[in-house]
Amino acid sequence: MSPRVEEVSDGVYAYIQPDGSWWINNTGFMAGRRGVISVDACSTERRTRAYRDAIAKVTDRPITTLVNTHHHGDHTFGNHLFPEATIVAHERTREQIIADGVPAYLGAWSPDVEWGTLDPVPPFLTYTDGVTLYSDDLRCEVRHVGFAAHTTNDSYVWIPSRRVLFSGDLVFNGGTPFVLMGSVAGALAALDQLEALGAETIVPGHGDVCGPSAISTVRGYLRFVRERAEAGMAAGLSPLELARQTDLGEYGTLTDSERIVGNLHRAYAEATGGDVDLAAAVLDMITFNGGRPLTCHA
């Protein structure tokens, strides 16, 4: 399926990329009289150029601002294709993009991905807690959740007068949530924060535009991960061993089910106060996937 533009409120657009699996994210934009505010870029050069073309079909105004909701490459690898825009994000988003460069872990995914030019460009306007942007008179509140959740640096974009929320990867719709580089407990707390906003329309980081019920699904999955981790640790199982014995039940239909392994690595680390070996966790996901590179259609 091809990406599509959905006008979710007057002058507010979601750019949805099916099927929302690994490296296939959503973006969005606010089109004002003076210019465009974009929420995130895409993972590959081809996908980001297609996104820019889609914006140009809606408005001829320049893209003045690009907000990164977090540092992951599916939301930031296309930053370099917005040379005219002020790139805005949390200060740790900048730090992590600089530290990661082109991440070595890209080799975990299919070698057939056509990344195009990868030139990591960090945001150059950063904030600690948040910043407020205006599309004409439309107030757009960019807020850091305050703690590790999906990553260490997650922000969302909230448009209170329209009850529209761009959640970044704090919300997945139809895909398996992923907190390997964040926190299970933090992700659950972030969902409480988002729910309290009272959003009627959510543009998730991956998957179709949805309502607040999607928050409940993500919350249920993360609680499931935490409960499984407690049982697995009591039984002396490694995260990979536990994942192989886990019936995902109602969550088995979500895409990228191998993320259970990475999520269990994070849950174990939180329970013990230890650190996560990211390379080992990714290798375990590949092992869980039958030793094959993780599927990516980006």
Side-chain angles (χ1 to χ4, degrees), residues 36-104:
V36 173
I37 300 171
S38 175
V39 181
D40 283 325
C42 303
S43 59
T44 69
E45 181 177 354
R46 175 180 61 84
R47 284 183 175 273
T48 302
R49 291 191 184 280
Y51 171 48
R52 290 201 55 134
D53 290 344
I55 294 174
K57 291 178 180 178
V58 172
T59 175
D60 63 357
R61 299 295 86 194
I63 300 170
T64 60
T65 311
L66 170 62
V67 178
N68 290 151
T69 58
H70 60 291
H71 75 278
H72 281 165
D74 49 341
H75 298 258
T76 64
F77 278 169
N79 280 4
H80 69 284
L81 297 174
F82 294 82
E84 75 279 41
T86 299
I87 307 176
V88 183
H90 187 263
E91 54 196 12
R92 282 202 287 273
T93 301
R94 174 180 170 82
E95 293 168 2
Q96 199 64 53
I97 290 174
I98 292 172
D100 285 354
V102 177

Side-chain angles (χ1 to χ4, degrees), residues 5-23:
V5 174
E6 294 184 22
E7 188 169 16
V8 295
S9 187
D10 185 27
V12 181
Y13 300 85
Y15 183 73
I16 304 300
Q17 297 195 94
D19 61 353
S21 54
W22 286 116
W23 298 96

